Amino acid sequence: AQSVTQLGSHVSVSEGALVLLRCNYSSSVPPYLFWYVQYPNQGLQLLLKYTSAATLVKGINGFEAEFKKSETSFHLTKPSAHMSDAAEYFCAVSAASGSRLTFGEGTQLTVNP
Amino acid sequence: GAVVSQHPSRVICKSGTSVKIECRSLDFQATTMFWYRQFPKQSLMLMATSNEGSKATYEQGVEKDKFLINHASLTLSTLTVTSAHPEDSSFYICSAVLEPMNTEAFFGQGTRLTVV
């Protein structure tokens, strides 16, 4: 069984500040981990994914995440927030690449001017 | 990149009627597609796994007779909400797995269903 916990349903940062969205996972097998972004009334866009290669994963729009097995974490970061980053972010886990995803509860990111 | 098209993006229907939602992989073949449901301010919950040429696999608690899934080709899966009721109002999202690379799932734009 797999699960994902996102700490903080709402995160608010100032434009230009560091973005840190937290994700912890539980998996009985080596996990595949994903971060998705969702804008209102739209589907999900993949930001980045971890598939057992490099532990530091770089994604689109300046986001990156680090897989830490010892901490069962996959936190998402971006050095400098932009207004366009305001959206809902979902962390997800799967047992294998391309298989069903289990999503976290989501984190709403607000970027203040 | 791979594109998944979902149609319609919004639909309003009367209670008791049926609504069909289409999910198409535009530039790749998808043996497997997934259907998710998302309530306001909540996460995505997997409803069913759709496999081309075979019956869908439903998650526990999802009524297969109410949410009919058909995956008749490698590029199209449909979800039909039968005898819709207001509690079926939700955001439905499909995803398709890129074959044969099978590395990730691509999501449709979602369908906002409102049952009145």
Side-chain angles (χ1 to χ4, degrees):
Chain A
Q2 299 177 304
S3 66
V4 172
T5 300
Q6 290 183 238
L7 300 177
S9 59
H10 290 82
V11 171
S12 182
V13 300
S14 298
E15 190 174 18
L18 171 71
V19 175
L20 171 61
L21 305 183
R22 300 179 185 274
C23 172
N24 288 89
Y25 71 91
S26 173
S27 178
S28 57
V29 298
Y32 289 78
L33 294 160
F34 306 82
W35 274 100
Y36 288 90
V37 61
Q38 184 182 34
Y39 295 96
N41 292 309
Q42 293 188 28
L44 275 69
Q45 180 182 11
L46 180 68
L47 285 176
L48 48 81
K49 62 182 178 182
Y50 167 77
T51 57
S52 74
T55 57
L56 181 62
V57 181
K58 294 185 183 298
I60 62 172
N61 301 339
F63 286 95
E64 63 180 40
E66 185 172 9
F67 172 71
K68 292 187 176 181
K69 184 178 180 180
S70 61
E71 299 177 7
T72 61
S73 68
F74 190 57
H75 301 330
L76 181 70
T77 61
K78 181 174 181 177
S80 177
H82 191 272
M83 296 297 289
S84 60
D85 294 327
E88 186 87 18
Y89 291 80
F90 291 97
C91 182
V93 63
S94 70
S97 183
S99 69
R100 54 180 289 175
L101 293 166
T102 300
F103 287 89
E105 304 88 346
T107 298
Q108 179 68 47
L109 175 66
T110 300
V111 181
N112 302 306
Chain B
V3 177
V4 174
S5 177
Q6 193 172 335
H7 179 79
S9 58
R10 292 177 178 270
V11 58
I12 300 174
C13 70
K14 293 183 178 181
S15 288
T17 61
S18 296
V19 174
K20 179 183 287 187
I21 302 170
E22 293 186 347
C23 180
R24 294 181 183 273
S25 54
L26 296 185
D27 49 3
F28 66 100
Q29 293 183 330
T31 302
T32 304
M33 292 186 178
F34 300 92
W35 286 96
Y36 296 85
R37 183 174 182 176
Q38 185 180 30
F39 290 105
K41 306 296 183 183
Q42 294 188 28
S43 187
L44 285 76
M45 299 300 295
L46 181 65
M47 298 175 66
T49 302
S50 173
N51 299 293
E52 187 270 335
S54 64
K55 292 183 178 180
T57 303
Y58 290 83
E59 295 300 300
Q60 189 174 5
V62 177
E63 300 177 59
K64 62 180 181 180
D65 294 330
K66 179 167 188 62
F67 298 100
L68 301 179
I69 291 174
N70 185 288
H71 195 155
S73 77
L74 287 172
T75 60
L76 175 63
S77 175
T78 61
L79 168 67
T80 301
V81 183
T82 63
S83 187
H85 288 91
E87 56 265 32
D88 299 324
S89 298
S90 189
F91 194 58
Y92 294 88
I93 307 176
C94 71
S95 72
V97 176
L98 181 62
E99 299 280 357
M101 296 174 64
N102 198 25
T103 57
E104 68 182 75
F106 294 88
F107 286 82
Q109 308 93 317
T111 297
R112 172 72 60 193
L113 171 63
T114 302
V115 185
V116 298

PDB file of all heavy atoms in Angstrom, chain B residues 41-66:
ATOM      1  N   LYS B  41     -11.789  21.638  -3.513  1.00  0.00           N
ATOM      2  CA  LYS B  41     -10.755  21.815  -2.494  1.00  0.00           C
ATOM      3  C   LYS B  41     -10.217  20.486  -1.973  1.00  0.00           C
ATOM      4  O   LYS B  41      -9.667  20.435  -0.868  1.00  0.00           O
ATOM      5  CB  LYS B  41     -11.288  22.639  -1.322  1.00  0.00           C
ATOM      6  CG  LYS B  41     -11.893  23.975  -1.729  1.00  0.00           C
ATOM      7  CD  LYS B  41     -10.880  24.889  -2.345  1.00  0.00           C
ATOM      8  CE  LYS B  41     -11.517  26.243  -2.656  1.00  0.00           C
ATOM      9  NZ  LYS B  41     -10.539  27.153  -3.335  1.00  0.00           N
ATOM     10  N   GLN B  42     -10.379  19.441  -2.733  1.00  0.00           N
ATOM     11  CA  GLN B  42      -9.885  18.133  -2.301  1.00  0.00           C
ATOM     12  C   GLN B  42      -8.957  17.525  -3.344  1.00  0.00           C
ATOM     13  O   GLN B  42      -8.758  18.079  -4.427  1.00  0.00           O
ATOM     14  CB  GLN B  42     -11.064  17.184  -2.029  1.00  0.00           C
ATOM     15  CG  GLN B  42     -11.915  17.611  -0.851  1.00  0.00           C
ATOM     16  CD  GLN B  42     -12.942  16.555  -0.492  1.00  0.00           C
ATOM     17  OE1 GLN B  42     -12.739  15.364  -0.723  1.00  0.00           O
ATOM     18  NE2 GLN B  42     -14.044  16.987   0.088  1.00  0.00           N
ATOM     19  N   SER B  43      -8.410  16.390  -2.979  1.00  0.00           N
ATOM     20  CA  SER B  43      -7.466  15.724  -3.862  1.00  0.00           C
ATOM     21  C   SER B  43      -8.186  14.862  -4.898  1.00  0.00           C
ATOM     22  O   SER B  43      -9.414  14.793  -4.921  1.00  0.00           O
ATOM     23  CB  SER B  43      -6.517  14.865  -3.036  1.00  0.00           C
ATOM     24  OG  SER B  43      -5.486  14.342  -3.848  1.00  0.00           O
ATOM     25  N   LEU B  44      -7.412  14.239  -5.752  1.00  0.00           N
ATOM     26  CA  LEU B  44      -7.969  13.360  -6.760  1.00  0.00           C
ATOM     27  C   LEU B  44      -8.100  11.954  -6.194  1.00  0.00           C
ATOM     28  O   LEU B  44      -7.167  11.432  -5.585  1.00  0.00           O
ATOM     29  CB  LEU B  44      -7.063  13.297  -7.993  1.00  0.00           C
ATOM     30  CG  LEU B  44      -7.075  14.495  -8.936  1.00  0.00           C
ATOM     31  CD1 LEU B  44      -6.296  15.655  -8.366  1.00  0.00           C
ATOM     32  CD2 LEU B  44      -6.516  14.099 -10.285  1.00  0.00           C
ATOM     33  N   MET B  45      -9.250  11.367  -6.430  1.00  0.00           N
ATOM     34  CA  MET B  45      -9.483  10.006  -5.987  1.00  0.00           C
ATOM     35  C   MET B  45      -9.678   9.122  -7.213  1.00  0.00           C
ATOM     36  O   MET B  45     -10.516   9.411  -8.069  1.00  0.00           O
ATOM     37  CB  MET B  45     -10.724   9.934  -5.098  1.00  0.00           C
ATOM     38  CG  MET B  45     -10.617  10.773  -3.835  1.00  0.00           C
ATOM     39  SD  MET B  45      -9.243  10.286  -2.789  1.00  0.00           S
ATOM     40  CE  MET B  45      -9.755   8.646  -2.315  1.00  0.00           C
ATOM     41  N   LEU B  46      -8.907   8.061  -7.287  1.00  0.00           N
ATOM     42  CA  LEU B  46      -9.021   7.159  -8.412  1.00  0.00           C
ATOM     43  C   LEU B  46     -10.364   6.441  -8.375  1.00  0.00           C
ATOM     44  O   LEU B  46     -10.746   5.876  -7.347  1.00  0.00           O
ATOM     45  CB  LEU B  46      -7.888   6.131  -8.382  1.00  0.00           C
ATOM     46  CG  LEU B  46      -7.861   5.121  -9.531  1.00  0.00           C
ATOM     47  CD1 LEU B  46      -7.596   5.827 -10.856  1.00  0.00           C
ATOM     48  CD2 LEU B  46      -6.805   4.049  -9.276  1.00  0.00           C
ATOM     49  N   MET B  47     -11.067   6.495  -9.502  1.00  0.00           N
ATOM     50  CA  MET B  47     -12.338   5.804  -9.608  1.00  0.00           C
ATOM     51  C   MET B  47     -12.161   4.422 -10.227  1.00  0.00           C
ATOM     52  O   MET B  47     -12.709   3.438  -9.747  1.00  0.00           O
ATOM     53  CB  MET B  47     -13.314   6.602 -10.476  1.00  0.00           C
ATOM     54  CG  MET B  47     -13.672   7.956  -9.936  1.00  0.00           C
ATOM     55  SD  MET B  47     -14.691   8.872 -11.091  1.00  0.00           S
ATOM     56  CE  MET B  47     -16.181   7.877 -11.099  1.00  0.00           C
ATOM     57  N   ALA B  48     -11.411   4.398 -11.336  1.00  0.00           N
ATOM     58  CA  ALA B  48     -11.288   3.142 -12.060  1.00  0.00           C
ATOM     59  C   ALA B  48     -10.095   3.200 -13.000  1.00  0.00           C
ATOM     60  O   ALA B  48      -9.646   4.275 -13.400  1.00  0.00           O
ATOM     61  CB  ALA B  48     -12.559   2.854 -12.848  1.00  0.00           C
ATOM     62  N   THR B  49      -9.635   2.009 -13.330  1.00  0.00           N
ATOM     63  CA  THR B  49      -8.582   1.842 -14.321  1.00  0.00           C
ATOM     64  C   THR B  49      -9.207   1.247 -15.564  1.00  0.00           C
ATOM     65  O   THR B  49      -9.872   0.194 -15.492  1.00  0.00           O
ATOM     66  CB  THR B  49      -7.478   0.919 -13.793  1.00  0.00           C
ATOM     67  OG1 THR B  49      -6.956   1.468 -12.583  1.00  0.00           O
ATOM     68  CG2 THR B  49      -6.360   0.774 -14.807  1.00  0.00           C
ATOM     69  N   SER B  50      -8.996   1.917 -16.672  1.00  0.00           N
ATOM     70  CA  SER B  50      -9.610   1.511 -17.929  1.00  0.00           C
ATOM     71  C   SER B  50      -8.565   0.839 -18.805  1.00  0.00           C
ATOM     72  O   SER B  50      -7.523   1.415 -19.089  1.00  0.00           O
ATOM     73  CB  SER B  50     -10.157   2.765 -18.627  1.00  0.00           C
ATOM     74  OG  SER B  50     -10.620   2.471 -19.923  1.00  0.00           O
ATOM     75  N   ASN B  51      -8.848  -0.376 -19.223  1.00  0.00           N
ATOM     76  CA  ASN B  51      -7.922  -1.131 -20.053  1.00  0.00           C
ATOM     77  C   ASN B  51      -8.543  -1.414 -21.419  1.00  0.00           C
ATOM     78  O   ASN B  51      -9.671  -1.909 -21.497  1.00  0.00           O
ATOM     79  CB  ASN B  51      -7.554  -2.450 -19.379  1.00  0.00           C
ATOM     80  CG  ASN B  51      -6.864  -2.236 -18.047  1.00  0.00           C
ATOM     81  OD1 ASN B  51      -5.753  -1.723 -17.986  1.00  0.00           O
ATOM     82  ND2 ASN B  51      -7.516  -2.610 -16.981  1.00  0.00           N
ATOM     83  N   GLU B  52      -7.814  -1.092 -22.460  1.00  0.00           N
ATOM     84  CA  GLU B  52      -8.316  -1.284 -23.813  1.00  0.00           C
ATOM     85  C   GLU B  52      -8.674  -2.742 -24.063  1.00  0.00           C
ATOM     86  O   GLU B  52      -7.869  -3.643 -23.801  1.00  0.00           O
ATOM     87  CB  GLU B  52      -7.272  -0.801 -24.826  1.00  0.00           C
ATOM     88  CG  GLU B  52      -7.753  -0.792 -26.256  1.00  0.00           C
ATOM     89  CD  GLU B  52      -7.489  -2.091 -26.998  1.00  0.00           C
ATOM     90  OE1 GLU B  52      -6.551  -2.809 -26.591  1.00  0.00           O
ATOM     91  OE2 GLU B  52      -8.190  -2.373 -27.978  1.00  0.00           O
ATOM     92  N   GLY B  53      -9.902  -2.956 -24.504  1.00  0.00           N
ATOM     93  CA  GLY B  53     -10.343  -4.286 -24.871  1.00  0.00           C
ATOM     94  C   GLY B  53     -10.782  -5.167 -23.723  1.00  0.00           C
ATOM     95  O   GLY B  53     -11.103  -6.350 -23.929  1.00  0.00           O
ATOM     96  N   SER B  54     -10.809  -4.635 -22.520  1.00  0.00           N
ATOM     97  CA  SER B  54     -11.263  -5.445 -21.391  1.00  0.00           C
ATOM     98  C   SER B  54     -12.078  -4.583 -20.427  1.00  0.00           C
ATOM     99  O   SER B  54     -12.173  -3.374 -20.601  1.00  0.00           O
ATOM    100  CB  SER B  54     -10.075  -6.067 -20.660  1.00  0.00           C
ATOM    101  OG  SER B  54      -9.266  -5.068 -20.097  1.00  0.00           O
ATOM    102  N   LYS B  55     -12.646  -5.229 -19.437  1.00  0.00           N
ATOM    103  CA  LYS B  55     -13.470  -4.501 -18.479  1.00  0.00           C
ATOM    104  C   LYS B  55     -12.610  -3.622 -17.589  1.00  0.00           C
ATOM    105  O   LYS B  55     -11.476  -3.968 -17.242  1.00  0.00           O
ATOM    106  CB  LYS B  55     -14.265  -5.484 -17.633  1.00  0.00           C
ATOM    107  CG  LYS B  55     -15.342  -6.238 -18.388  1.00  0.00           C
ATOM    108  CD  LYS B  55     -16.135  -7.141 -17.446  1.00  0.00           C
ATOM    109  CE  LYS B  55     -17.249  -7.847 -18.197  1.00  0.00           C
ATOM    110  NZ  LYS B  55     -18.042  -8.736 -17.292  1.00  0.00           N
ATOM    111  N   ALA B  56     -13.195  -2.512 -17.193  1.00  0.00           N
ATOM    112  CA  ALA B  56     -12.479  -1.608 -16.291  1.00  0.00           C
ATOM    113  C   ALA B  56     -12.392  -2.201 -14.891  1.00  0.00           C
ATOM    114  O   ALA B  56     -13.226  -3.014 -14.486  1.00  0.00           O
ATOM    115  CB  ALA B  56     -13.188  -0.267 -16.247  1.00  0.00           C
ATOM    116  N   THR B  57     -11.381  -1.797 -14.190  1.00  0.00           N
ATOM    117  CA  THR B  57     -11.212  -2.198 -12.795  1.00  0.00           C
ATOM    118  C   THR B  57     -11.605  -1.031 -11.909  1.00  0.00           C
ATOM    119  O   THR B  57     -10.971   0.033 -11.967  1.00  0.00           O
ATOM    120  CB  THR B  57      -9.750  -2.591 -12.513  1.00  0.00           C
ATOM    121  OG1 THR B  57      -9.365  -3.635 -13.405  1.00  0.00           O
ATOM    122  CG2 THR B  57      -9.600  -3.057 -11.073  1.00  0.00           C
ATOM    123  N   TYR B  58     -12.633  -1.225 -11.098  1.00  0.00           N
ATOM    124  CA  TYR B  58     -13.152  -0.145 -10.273  1.00  0.00           C
ATOM    125  C   TYR B  58     -12.561  -0.185  -8.868  1.00  0.00           C
ATOM    126  O   TYR B  58     -12.314  -1.258  -8.311  1.00  0.00           O
ATOM    127  CB  TYR B  58     -14.678  -0.244 -10.194  1.00  0.00           C
ATOM    128  CG  TYR B  58     -15.365   0.091 -11.501  1.00  0.00           C
ATOM    129  CD1 TYR B  58     -15.497  -0.870 -12.501  1.00  0.00           C
ATOM    130  CD2 TYR B  58     -15.873   1.359 -11.724  1.00  0.00           C
ATOM    131  CE1 TYR B  58     -16.115  -0.557 -13.700  1.00  0.00           C
ATOM    132  CE2 TYR B  58     -16.507   1.678 -12.923  1.00  0.00           C
ATOM    133  CZ  TYR B  58     -16.618   0.713 -13.909  1.00  0.00           C
ATOM    134  OH  TYR B  58     -17.232   1.022 -15.090  1.00  0.00           O
ATOM    135  N   GLU B  59     -12.404   0.987  -8.313  1.00  0.00           N
ATOM    136  CA  GLU B  59     -11.937   1.080  -6.933  1.00  0.00           C
ATOM    137  C   GLU B  59     -13.093   0.769  -5.978  1.00  0.00           C
ATOM    138  O   GLU B  59     -14.279   0.885  -6.328  1.00  0.00           O
ATOM    139  CB  GLU B  59     -11.394   2.475  -6.649  1.00  0.00           C
ATOM    140  CG  GLU B  59     -10.147   2.804  -7.450  1.00  0.00           C
ATOM    141  CD  GLU B  59      -9.006   1.847  -7.160  1.00  0.00           C
ATOM    142  OE1 GLU B  59      -8.575   1.761  -5.993  1.00  0.00           O
ATOM    143  OE2 GLU B  59      -8.537   1.188  -8.122  1.00  0.00           O
ATOM    144  N   GLN B  60     -12.721   0.383  -4.802  1.00  0.00           N
ATOM    145  CA  GLN B  60     -13.724   0.040  -3.799  1.00  0.00           C
ATOM    146  C   GLN B  60     -14.627   1.230  -3.531  1.00  0.00           C
ATOM    147  O   GLN B  60     -14.156   2.355  -3.340  1.00  0.00           O
ATOM    148  CB  GLN B  60     -13.041  -0.397  -2.505  1.00  0.00           C
ATOM    149  CG  GLN B  60     -13.973  -0.989  -1.472  1.00  0.00           C
ATOM    150  CD  GLN B  60     -13.213  -1.539  -0.272  1.00  0.00           C
ATOM    151  OE1 GLN B  60     -11.993  -1.401  -0.181  1.00  0.00           O
ATOM    152  NE2 GLN B  60     -13.910  -2.174   0.644  1.00  0.00           N
ATOM    153  N   GLY B  61     -15.916   0.968  -3.535  1.00  0.00           N
ATOM    154  CA  GLY B  61     -16.878   2.016  -3.251  1.00  0.00           C
ATOM    155  C   GLY B  61     -17.391   2.742  -4.478  1.00  0.00           C
ATOM    156  O   GLY B  61     -18.310   3.558  -4.357  1.00  0.00           O
ATOM    157  N   VAL B  62     -16.832   2.478  -5.637  1.00  0.00           N
ATOM    158  CA  VAL B  62     -17.288   3.108  -6.873  1.00  0.00           C
ATOM    159  C   VAL B  62     -18.281   2.177  -7.557  1.00  0.00           C
ATOM    160  O   VAL B  62     -17.965   1.012  -7.822  1.00  0.00           O
ATOM    161  CB  VAL B  62     -16.108   3.409  -7.808  1.00  0.00           C
ATOM    162  CG1 VAL B  62     -16.605   4.008  -9.124  1.00  0.00           C
ATOM    163  CG2 VAL B  62     -15.114   4.341  -7.141  1.00  0.00           C
ATOM    164  N   GLU B  63     -19.472   2.685  -7.839  1.00  0.00           N
ATOM    165  CA  GLU B  63     -20.520   1.867  -8.437  1.00  0.00           C
ATOM    166  C   GLU B  63     -20.272   1.693  -9.930  1.00  0.00           C
ATOM    167  O   GLU B  63     -20.380   2.644 -10.713  1.00  0.00           O
ATOM    168  CB  GLU B  63     -21.879   2.527  -8.227  1.00  0.00           C
ATOM    169  CG  GLU B  63     -22.269   2.720  -6.773  1.00  0.00           C
ATOM    170  CD  GLU B  63     -23.592   3.453  -6.663  1.00  0.00           C
ATOM    171  OE1 GLU B  63     -24.597   2.947  -7.194  1.00  0.00           O
ATOM    172  OE2 GLU B  63     -23.613   4.558  -6.082  1.00  0.00           O
ATOM    173  N   LYS B  64     -19.966   0.488 -10.325  1.00  0.00           N
ATOM    174  CA  LYS B  64     -19.641   0.247 -11.726  1.00  0.00           C
ATOM    175  C   LYS B  64     -20.859   0.393 -12.636  1.00  0.00           C
ATOM    176  O   LYS B  64     -20.716   0.701 -13.823  1.00  0.00           O
ATOM    177  CB  LYS B  64     -19.020  -1.139 -11.905  1.00  0.00           C
ATOM    178  CG  LYS B  64     -19.927  -2.289 -11.516  1.00  0.00           C
ATOM    179  CD  LYS B  64     -19.203  -3.614 -11.730  1.00  0.00           C
ATOM    180  CE  LYS B  64     -20.094  -4.785 -11.364  1.00  0.00           C
ATOM    181  NZ  LYS B  64     -19.401  -6.094 -11.569  1.00  0.00           N
ATOM    182  N   ASP B  65     -22.043   0.185 -12.096  1.00  0.00           N
ATOM    183  CA  ASP B  65     -23.249   0.336 -12.915  1.00  0.00           C
ATOM    184  C   ASP B  65     -23.654   1.790 -13.084  1.00  0.00           C
ATOM    185  O   ASP B  65     -24.446   2.128 -13.956  1.00  0.00           O
ATOM    186  CB  ASP B  65     -24.409  -0.446 -12.302  1.00  0.00           C
ATOM    187  CG  ASP B  65     -24.161  -1.939 -12.324  1.00  0.00           C
ATOM    188  OD1 ASP B  65     -23.460  -2.394 -13.253  1.00  0.00           O
ATOM    189  OD2 ASP B  65     -24.649  -2.635 -11.421  1.00  0.00           O
ATOM    190  N   LYS B  66     -23.109   2.627 -12.221  1.00  0.00           N
ATOM    191  CA  LYS B  66     -23.423   4.051 -12.313  1.00  0.00           C
ATOM    192  C   LYS B  66     -22.368   4.774 -13.167  1.00  0.00           C
ATOM    193  O   LYS B  66     -22.688   5.676 -13.909  1.00  0.00           O
ATOM    194  CB  LYS B  66     -23.457   4.668 -10.929  1.00  0.00           C
ATOM    195  CG  LYS B  66     -23.759   6.158 -10.957  1.00  0.00           C
ATOM    196  CD  LYS B  66     -24.088   6.673  -9.596  1.00  0.00           C
ATOM    197  CE  LYS B  66     -24.571   8.097  -9.687  1.00  0.00           C
ATOM    198  NZ  LYS B  66     -25.814   8.237 -10.487  1.00  0.00           N
TER     199      LYS B  66
END
